Amino acid sequence: MKNKKVYLGMTADIMHPGLIRIINEGTKYGDVVVGLLTDAAIASHKRLPYLTYEQRKEVVESIKGVSEVVAQEEWSYVNNLRKLRPDYIIHGDDWVSGPLQKIREDVFSVMREIGGEVIEIPYTQGINSTSLDKDIKAIGTTPDVRLKSLRRLINAKPVVRILEAHDGLCGLIIENLELYDDSGRKEFDGMWSSSLTDSTSKGKPDIEAVDLTTRLQDLNNILECTTKPIIFDGDTGGKTEHFAFTVRTLERHGISAVIIEDKIGLKKNSLFGTDVLQCQDTIEGFTEKIKVGKSSQVTDDFMIIARIESLIAGKPVSDALERGYAYVEAGADGIMIHSKDKSGDDIREFCTEFRKRYTHIPIVVVPTTYDHIYEKQLVEWGANIVIYANHLLRAAYPAMRKVASKILKYERALEVREDCLPIKEILELIPGTK
Ligand code: SPV
Ligand code: MG
């Protein structure tokens, strides 16, 4: 007689005795089939696992008692259970209450439908993926793991949400902030190292006057206290010959991507649009820069993203598309389309057209002026990465100015007490301060 089939769903990022116990329990009932959650399934509800799917699969396949590993492509068990029709599913009893309750209800109903049984075993207190998740964060990351994580996120999530960071504190907000609502868990996926905010925070104009070495010093503070991926604003990329070195330097630091814009001459911030002289490079000139960059990178995972400034320069969407196609053909790993138009119409038109030709090349958008458009809409148009390019600095400056003016006005600090983080909280903000 055929053995009974036992289904176990797991992430298996970190092996711990709780998982081994559940597998051992499973073997008592039949052949254990592990439904290993893919990156995409996990990213919909939790941070991306440390190990890739293939790495986790290799580990789980080698565990005694595991007969087979199959991919579970969704957070919900339902589709796999219907497909595999196991006799049993085993799960820790931690799902009886809390956020997994709905998952449990669905599992019970499918198992009833297919005539199987749900077995709940006592949850292993103290050792579970969530508590280990915190420990692994404390260990930090390596440049290699961080660098790779952006491509993994693009593949795993409908939208990769990036926020500007110009110092370690911004980095910590982006690293740690999470929000739960009806749609599940939300977080920022990574950081944008912006030329505008990097320059402004140093009291310098955004004209490539702050050199790479200086920008890397501050970026290093962010790297020290975070693990999420970083996209570096490379301005024009500088001279083509210099860009080759920039790429290697960024890679060595574990930066995931550089975005360079197709402008030449003295760079001015794009949001000036045609109010200042902005000179676009020729297609030939810029594709050459992309090619040189691509041939100088050491890893396979680093991304060079080409930023199209046609709309900023007042040119039509057709010009932007022509450039986009040429940049992709030259080897760009993604396209950033920028605009200062408030409607978002030109971005929608570009994305929709571009997607007809290239279904998978990542599109990056920066909704600074068209800020009424929701991420969901941007994704529907075809965007993969949304960068909130300057918001933390724009938030900090008025808050600091307000406090400074009030102290001047009242000639004491009592009136700003409410505007400031309480002393107790600032002392507790960074672990290890006490
Ligand atoms: C930056 O953040 O520096 C950018 C985006 O390049 S923008 O300021 O809109 O040009
Ligand atoms: Mg910039």
Side-chain angles (χ1 to χ4, degrees), residues 146 214-225 253:
R146 191 201 296 260
T214 313
R215 284 187 63 196
L216 280 175
Q217 280 169 4
D218 278 9
L219 195 52
N220 197 46
N221 295 330
I222 299 175
L223 291 168
E224 288 266 353
C225 61
H253 281 80

Side-chain angles (χ1 to χ4, degrees), residues 150-378:
L150 182 65
R151 278 196 195 263
R152 288 181 65 202
L153 283 163
I154 295 170
N155 291 331
K157 299 190 93 164
V159 60
V160 177
R161 186 183 290 125
I162 303 286
L163 180 61
E164 168 262 326
H166 56 274
D167 64 14
L169 265 190
C170 298
L172 283 178
I173 290 175
I174 297 167
E175 183 77 17
N176 297 323
L177 191 66
E178 47 182 20
L179 206 106
Y180 291 87
D181 66 11
D182 296 343
S183 63
R185 179 174 171 274
K186 291 185 199 169
E187 65 176 321
F188 288 99
D189 299 304
M191 292 156 273
W192 166 241
S193 173
S194 151
S195 70
L196 174 64
T197 67
D198 267 7
S199 308
T200 306
S201 66
K202 292 172 181 57
K204 294 253 174 78
D206 180 18
I207 53 170
E208 296 187 284
V210 182
D211 65 0
L212 179 66
T213 312
T214 313
R215 284 187 63 196
L216 280 175
Q217 280 169 4
D218 278 9
L219 195 52
N220 197 46
N221 295 330
I222 299 175
L223 291 168
E224 288 266 353
C225 61
T226 63
T227 64
K228 290 185 176 176
I230 295 173
I231 303 178
F232 188 82
D233 176 0
D235 287 316
T236 65
K239 289 192 171 68
T240 301
E241 293 83 348
H242 295 177
F243 183 54
F245 291 99
T246 304
V247 165
R248 291 193 172 198
T249 306
L250 294 174
E251 271 188 295
R252 205 169 53 247
H253 281 80
I255 308 302
S256 302
V258 64
I259 300 190
I260 50 167
E261 58 199 274
D262 56 0
K263 287 203 296 231
I264 45 168
L266 180 64
K267 193 217 79 154
K268 292 282 170 74
N269 186 275
S270 301
L271 299 173
F272 284 120
T274 48
D275 295 347
V276 295
L277 186 68
Q278 309 225 29
C279 200
Q280 227 179 344
D281 200 350
T282 58
I283 292 186
E284 294 70 38
F286 199 62
T287 49
E288 177 59 20
K289 202 179 273 184
I290 294 167
K291 283 182 195 156
V292 167
K294 283 309 289 175
S295 63
S296 63
Q297 76 182 58
V298 177
T299 66
D300 290 335
D301 294 293
F302 186 74
M303 297 174 76
I304 296 180
I305 299 174
R307 162 171 168 177
I308 306 160
E309 291 284 298
S310 305
L311 306 176
I312 294 292
K315 294 183 189 163
V317 170
S318 56
D319 184 88
L321 284 166
E322 186 192 349
R323 286 172 172 274
Y325 301 151
Y327 301 162
V328 172
E329 294 308 319
D333 300 290
I335 288 294
M336 171 180 151
I337 180 69
H338 204 13
S339 169
K340 69 183 281 284
D341 189 75
K342 290 197 175 79
S343 69
D345 291 348
D346 49 356
I347 296 291
R348 187 189 60 232
E349 194 184 332
F350 176 91
C351 292
T352 330
E353 260 327 291
F354 185 85
R355 270 285 162 263
K356 288 184 189 156
R357 187 171 306 201
Y358 294 106
T359 50
H360 284 92
I361 295 285
I363 301 179
V364 183
V365 294
V366 183
T368 303
T369 51
Y370 48 102
D371 55 4
H372 60 293
I373 311 277
Y374 286 107
E375 289 166 2
K376 205 165 175 267
Q377 282 172 278
L378 298 169

Side-chain angles (χ1 to χ4, degrees), residues 92 123 229:
Y123 189 56

Side-chain angles (χ1 to χ4, degrees), residues 53-73:
Y53 178 83
E54 283 68 32
Q55 290 171 323
R56 292 182 283 120
K57 184 162 186 270
E58 201 179 322
V59 172
V60 177
E61 274 173 346
S62 325
I63 296 175
K64 198 171 104 199
V66 173
S67 303
E68 196 188 346
V69 177
V70 298
Q72 181 173 319
E73 314 262 1

Side-chain angles (χ1 to χ4, degrees), residues 66-191:
V66 173
S67 303
E68 196 188 346
V69 177
V70 298
Q72 181 173 319
E73 314 262 1
E74 290 139 3
W75 187 245
S76 160
Y77 293 69
V78 170
N79 281 341
N80 264 14
L81 294 179
R82 284 221 175 95
K83 197 162 68 193
L84 300 164
R85 306 182 71 81
D87 302 283
Y88 301 99
I89 172 169
I90 304 197
H91 199 285
D93 62 4
D94 55 314
W95 65 351
V96 172
S97 59
L100 294 177
Q101 237 174 325
K102 169 84 174 71
I103 291 278
R104 177 177 185 262
E105 278 166 29
D106 291 346
V107 165
F108 267 90
S109 118
V110 180
M111 291 307 275
R112 255 195 312 274
E113 183 186 307
I114 62 175
E117 198 183 318
V118 182
I119 297 164
E120 292 175 323
I121 67 165
Y123 189 56
T124 314
Q125 292 300 336
I127 23 170
N128 56 67
S129 312
T130 312
S131 63
L132 291 172
D133 193 40
K134 290 205 181 81
D135 296 342
I136 210 154
K137 261 204 167 152
I139 297 168
T141 187
T142 66
D144 183 52
V145 169
R146 191 201 296 260
L147 193 159
K148 284 190 166 80
S149 63
L150 182 65
R151 278 196 195 263
R152 288 181 65 202
L153 283 163
I154 295 170
N155 291 331
K157 299 190 93 164
V159 60
V160 177
R161 186 183 290 125
I162 303 286
L163 180 61
E164 168 262 326
H166 56 274
D167 64 14
L169 265 190
C170 298
L172 283 178
I173 290 175
I174 297 167
E175 183 77 17
N176 297 323
L177 191 66
E178 47 182 20
L179 206 106
Y180 291 87
D181 66 11
D182 296 343
S183 63
R185 179 174 171 274
K186 291 185 199 169
E187 65 176 321
F188 288 99
D189 299 304
M191 292 156 273

